[in-house]
Amino acid sequence: MRGLVLINEERCKACSLCITACPHDVLQLGKAINSRGYHPVEAYQPEKCTGCTLCAVICPDLVLTIQREIPERK
């Protein structure tokens, strides 16, 4: 894992753009329902995240934040 997906579930309106944009199949719509009545996205395979940020860039509601691992210098 080189990236960590942080999800603001209350802002998510389940548009699925991030799911489509993710090249590593990290995201899916969850079963829970947020206060707005949507099934927010969840990281169901977080270990596959490379930290590319494509999901966060395409999200119109700024739901996703990606934290990247900083590689150790030798």
Side-chain angles (χ1 to χ4, degrees):
M1 176 175 71
R2 291 181 282 170
L4 175 64
V5 182
L6 303 175
I7 302 166
N8 183 338
E9 294 177 356
E10 286 303 311
R11 293 184 63 126
C12 184
K13 63 182 181 195
C15 69
S16 301
L17 290 172
C18 57
I19 295 170
T20 305
C22 180
H24 302 290
D25 199 28
V26 172
L27 305 169
Q28 71 177 8
L29 289 179
K31 292 183 179 14
I33 298 175
N34 64 17
S35 65
R36 297 168 63 192
Y38 297 110
H39 292 274
V41 69
E42 66 181 13
Y44 81 105
Q45 295 188 77
E47 68 280 357
K48 289 185 168 185
C49 182
T50 63
C52 72
T53 74
L54 289 175
C55 59
V57 169
I58 202 166
C59 180
D61 297 310
L62 306 172
V63 170
L64 304 161
T65 302
I66 309 302
Q67 290 182 346
R68 292 184 182 165
E69 273 187 23
I70 298 172
E72 292 183 29
R73 293 187 181 221
K74 296 180 180 180

